[in-house]
């Protein structure tokens, strides 16, 4: 053991496995406790066969490399990993609040208050600003990948698609288009401004309860994203509309930069500034 805890050789024997926290694409996440320290963690178990079948081992290596080096209160820590003959295990910070989208759908009106939304966006923008300062893009920011820690702070979790900037990686866009900016929908080159777009989508979804371009079909969502066409329900305040309009610009260079999102008047009025 190198005493740093990060580089030591962990094995499954070092942990007591608790209840499942959720089922993912390539494996499940379990509550677990490291036996010696009694430290509670989340253990994500991935099956090597599944990873090989989907040809994502390189992506997982990149994700482990990235996430083990990121340190930010709003980014889910990855303390380390190990593997046996059939599985890869990720040792992760445990987020007791679970998935943010479950919190969103359990709200009485299916959307967060303006105060909660402003605090979440402030935390997301500072986490992304930190990632961008390390030249890391996230590229897959959606409520399913955001977890809730103790006393309600949020943690960006799944880094399944993060890459180093700039990138024109044309990974097959599986799943929803809702969070992708026009340049990624068209598979063109994208950079850090793609993450800024998805923060605008998330802010709209926190306030309204659904993403702005959601429709019944892939094609009509595609068209609305390309036309940047969306409307606000009347309960959304003018301050929140102003911020969203300044973020959801089709031209990536016109989008409000992260450090201006953090100090936007609508955010500042809801977030205690000493953070
Ligand atoms: C390649 O993988 C990279 C890391 O991906 C993840 C890290 C941590 C995760 C989930 C991750 O991916 C998504 C996923 O597997 N699910 C959808 C399963 C259930 C969601 N989590 C439930 C959950 C509740 N309290 C938690 N505290 C910490 N981590 C959690 C959770 N989940």
């Amino acid at each position: 053991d190198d005493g740093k805890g990060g580089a030591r050789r962990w094995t499954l024997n070092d942990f007591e496995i608790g209840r499942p926290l959720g089922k993912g694409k390539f494996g499940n996440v379990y509550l677990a406790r490291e036996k010696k320290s009694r430290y509670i963690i989340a253990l994500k178990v991935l099956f090597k066969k599944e990873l090989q079948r989907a040809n994502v081992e390189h992506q997982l290596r990149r994700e482990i490399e990235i996430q083990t080096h990121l340190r930010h209160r709003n980014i889910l820590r990855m303390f380390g990993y190990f593997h046996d003959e059939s599985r890869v295990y990720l040792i992760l910070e445990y987020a007791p609040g679970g998935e943010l989208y479950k919190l969103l759908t359990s709200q009485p009106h299916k959307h967060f208050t303006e105060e909660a939304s402003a605090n979440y966006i402030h935390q997301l923008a500072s986490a992304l600003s930190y990632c961008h300062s390390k030249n890391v893009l996230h590229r897959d920011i959606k409520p399913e990948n955001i977890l809730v820690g103790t006393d309600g702070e949020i943690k960006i979790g799944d880094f399944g698609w993060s890459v180093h900037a700039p990138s024109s990686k044309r990974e097959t866009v599986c799943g929803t288009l809702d969070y992708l900016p026009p340049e990624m929908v068209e598979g063109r080159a994208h950079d850090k401004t793609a993450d800024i777009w998805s923060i605008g989508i998330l802010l709209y979804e926190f306030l309204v309860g659904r993403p702005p371009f959601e429709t019944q079909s892939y094609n009509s969502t595609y068209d609305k994203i390309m036309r940047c066409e969306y409307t606000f329900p009347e309960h959304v305040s003018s301050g929140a509309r102003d911020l969203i309009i300044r973020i959801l610009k089709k031209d990536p260079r016109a989008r409000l930069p992260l450090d201006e999102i953090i100090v936007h008047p609508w955010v500042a009025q809801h977030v205690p500034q000493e953070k």
Side-chain angles (χ1 to χ4, degrees):
D1 178 354
D2 63 358
K4 288 204 293 286
R8 60 161 290 173
R9 290 272 160 277
W10 294 106
T11 71
L12 196 50
N13 241 339
D14 294 314
F15 301 93
E16 281 156 348
I17 310 299
R19 71 178 175 87
L21 292 172
K23 308 225 172 309
K25 273 192 305 282
F26 300 107
N28 303 338
V29 186
Y30 298 88
L31 195 56
R33 181 168 62 191
E34 199 276 318
K35 288 174 183 169
K36 285 207 189 66
S37 63
R38 304 176 68 73
Y39 194 80
I40 298 287
I41 53 117
L43 196 68
K44 180 159 176 175
V45 183
L46 299 134
F47 289 94
K48 287 184 177 177
K49 268 207 192 62
E50 296 287 303
L51 295 169
Q52 280 144 19
R53 202 171 298 149
N55 186 20
V56 289
E57 304 101 303
H58 66 288
Q59 211 169 299
L60 180 62
R61 274 184 231 286
R62 184 172 59 216
E63 177 175 312
I64 290 172
E65 183 53 34
I66 288 174
Q67 213 169 349
T68 46
H69 290 92
L70 295 177
R71 299 273 193 284
H72 187 280
R73 69 188 287 272
N74 299 119
I75 295 175
L76 194 79
R77 273 296 302 281
M78 186 182 290
F79 299 114
Y81 69 100
F82 57 94
H83 62 96
D84 56 24
E85 68 292 332
S86 62
R87 287 162 296 213
V88 177
Y89 303 85
L90 307 180
I91 308 168
L92 297 147
E93 171 187 5
Y94 169 52
E99 292 152 271
L100 188 64
Y101 87 88
K102 285 185 181 165
L103 200 59
L104 180 60
T105 49
S106 65
Q107 296 300 306
H109 302 287
K110 303 287 175 224
H111 63 76
F112 292 130
T113 63
E114 300 229 343
E115 166 132 27
S117 304
N119 276 283
Y120 288 148
I121 285 310
H122 185 271
Q123 294 174 54
L124 277 174
S126 40
L128 276 182
S129 177
Y130 169 81
C131 287
H132 291 180
S133 71
K134 303 225 166 212
N135 224 13
V136 170
L137 305 186
H138 192 282
R139 285 200 325 159
D140 191 15
I141 299 166
K142 53 183 188 272
E144 291 76 7
N145 291 335
I146 301 174
L147 299 164
V148 184
T150 45
D151 64 64
E153 91 273 14
I154 56 174
K155 311 261 177 184
I156 306 183
D158 192 2
F159 272 72
W161 294 79
S162 50
V163 288
H164 284 98
S167 155
S168 61
K169 283 247 155 299
R170 276 219 41 159
E171 316 276 3
T172 43
V173 172
C174 53
T176 171
L177 277 180
D178 280 315
Y179 299 86
L180 296 181
E183 66 274 16
M184 279 181 73
V185 162
E186 285 189 327
R188 281 188 281 109
H190 63 276
D191 60 13
K192 302 175 177 177
T193 56
D195 285 339
I196 297 178
W197 171 278
S198 35
I199 277 200
I201 301 292
L202 265 173
L203 177 53
Y204 183 99
E205 183 165 9
F206 290 162
L207 290 164
V208 176
R210 57 170 176 77
F213 305 116
E214 187 178 71
T215 67
Q216 299 318 312
S217 85
Y218 184 99
N219 293 338
S220 52
T221 299
Y222 182 103
D223 291 343
K224 293 186 84 169
I225 291 172
M226 295 316 292
R227 287 205 298 269
C228 225
E229 187 189 282
Y230 60 97
T231 58
F232 293 105
E234 83 285 347
H235 69 77
V236 180
S237 71
S238 58
R241 293 176 193 226
D242 178 78
L243 178 52
I244 291 170
I245 290 164
R246 290 175 191 275
I247 296 174
L248 294 184
K249 296 283 190 193
K250 183 163 180 176
D251 175 0
R253 293 156 303 177
R255 293 170 196 158
L256 204 60
L258 288 170
D259 50 12
E260 292 185 41
I261 294 174
I262 287 170
V263 296
H264 184 278
W266 177 78
V267 176
Q269 86 186 60
H270 289 293
V271 175
Q273 282 309 306
E274 75 276 356
K275 280 188 190 170

